[in-house]
Amino acid sequence: MVAVAAIAALAIAAGCGGGGDGEEALTKAQYVEKSHDVCGRAIDKRDVLLEDAFDLVEKEGFKGITELSKPAQERLVLSIALPPIQEGIENLAKLPPPEGDEDTVDAFVEGLEAAVKKTEEDPSAVLGSPTPFDKPMREAAKYGLDRCSELA
C-alpha cells in the first residue's frame, strides 16, 4: 500500500512548477488557476496510466503492486508514473510566476526537478516514506497549489 501511495505521490510532482520565459508575470490567483489546470491534466494522465498498470498487475494474479518484486516496482515508477510528472513539471516551469514570488515558485519547482532526478537515479526512493517529493509538495501546498498537492 505504501508503494501505491508513493507512486501516486510521484504524480503530484507533475502538478506544480513555475519559471516562465520572459512572459508577463501572472497574478497569484492566475498562477494558481493555471497551475491547477496543468496539475489536473498531469494527474489525470498519470491516473489513467496507473489504473491500466494496476489492472494488468491484477490480471497477472497479483493482489497489488506491493506483491511485485522491487525491480518490477521500480520499472513501474520509471516507465509509467514518472513521465507524466516530468511533463507536468516542464509545463508548469513555463508559467511566469507572480511578481515578487519568483524565489518561492522557483524553490518548489527546483525541488520537484531535483526529486525527479533523484527518482530517475534511485526509483526505490519513492517506494517508501519519506520520498524526495515530500518537501517540494509541502511548499507547493503552502503556496496555495491545492490541486497540485492533493495526492501527497
Side-chain angles (χ1 to χ4, degrees), residues 27-75:
T27 66
K28 184 172 180 179
Q30 291 169 324
Y31 183 82
V32 169
E33 181 180 344
K34 289 180 181 284
S35 294
H36 286 189
D37 291 343
V38 170
C39 293
R41 286 191 305 272
I43 289 167
D44 291 347
K45 187 174 186 177
R46 187 248 10 246
D47 286 350
V48 167
L49 293 171
L50 287 176
E51 185 177 319
D52 290 346
F54 294 153
D55 288 347
L56 182 60
V57 166
E58 289 178 5
K59 285 179 185 174
E60 292 296 319
F62 296 98
K63 292 182 181 169
I65 188 173
T66 56
E67 289 189 1
L68 296 176
S69 68
K70 187 173 178 180
Q73 291 179 25
E74 291 174 353
R75 284 192 304 275

Side-chain angles (χ1 to χ4, degrees), residues 28-146:
K28 184 172 180 179
Q30 291 169 324
Y31 183 82
V32 169
E33 181 180 344
K34 289 180 181 284
S35 294
H36 286 189
D37 291 343
V38 170
C39 293
R41 286 191 305 272
I43 289 167
D44 291 347
K45 187 174 186 177
R46 187 248 10 246
D47 286 350
V48 167
L49 293 171
L50 287 176
E51 185 177 319
D52 290 346
F54 294 153
D55 288 347
L56 182 60
V57 166
E58 289 178 5
K59 285 179 185 174
E60 292 296 319
F62 296 98
K63 292 182 181 169
I65 188 173
T66 56
E67 289 189 1
L68 296 176
S69 68
K70 187 173 178 180
Q73 291 179 25
E74 291 174 353
R75 284 192 304 275
L76 185 65
V77 166
L78 291 175
S79 64
I80 295 175
L82 197 57
I85 293 166
Q86 290 171 304
E87 182 180 333
I89 292 170
E90 290 168 6
N91 289 334
L92 284 160
K94 294 175 185 175
L95 292 178
E99 190 171 321
D101 290 351
E102 296 89 352
D103 290 344
T104 301
V105 170
D106 289 346
F108 67 72
V109 171
E110 289 169 8
L112 291 169
E113 292 169 340
V116 167
K117 184 174 182 181
K118 169 73 174 156
T119 303
E120 288 173 329
E121 294 168 358
D122 179 14
S124 69
V126 297
L127 297 177
S129 184
T131 76
F133 290 95
D134 290 350
K135 183 178 178 186
M137 294 316 311
R138 281 192 306 270
E139 295 301 315
K142 279 180 16 183
Y143 189 72
L145 301 180
D146 300 328

